[in-house]
């Protein structure tokens, strides 16, 4: 994990899914929600990540959908 301004950038390697980059933009006293979304889009563009590469959901949900986990 590293920081760019108020954004935490996570580089994750998930068994059964692959590599992910996660942006976590802090919203609070100094950044409004709309500005946080704009910042995330700015960073996605800077990293060259296209909208089609975006994934929603938790890793566990993605693993379950891929049949890569067993729910107990």
């Amino acid at each position: 994990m590293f920081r760019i301004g108020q954004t935490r950038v996570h580089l994750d390697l998930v068994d059964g899914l692959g590599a992910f980059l996660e942006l976590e933009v802090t919203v609070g006293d100094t950044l409004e929600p709309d500005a946080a979304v704009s910042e995330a889009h700015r960073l996605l563009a800077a990293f060259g990540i296209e909208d089609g590469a975006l994934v929603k959901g938790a890793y566990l949900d993605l693993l379950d959908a891929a049949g890569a986990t067993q729910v107990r």
Side-chain angles (χ1 to χ4, degrees):
M1 196 243 351
F2 60 97
R3 289 181 83 72
I4 299 174
Q6 292 188 39
T7 304
R8 287 179 274 199
V9 180
H10 301 263
L11 302 175
D12 299 329
L13 183 58
V14 181
D15 288 338
L17 292 178
F20 292 86
L21 178 139
E22 178 182 355
L23 300 177
E24 189 176 341
V25 184
T26 305
V27 177
D29 295 335
T30 60
L31 197 59
E32 295 295 322
D34 288 344
V37 171
S38 293
E39 178 64 5
H41 286 288
R42 184 188 73 76
L43 289 171
L44 289 171
F47 290 135
I49 298 170
E50 298 179 4
D51 288 345
L54 300 180
V55 177
K56 290 186 179 186
Y59 295 138
L60 183 57
D61 296 333
L62 296 172
L63 287 165
D64 285 343
T69 63
Q70 293 179 341
V71 178
R72 297 175 195 230

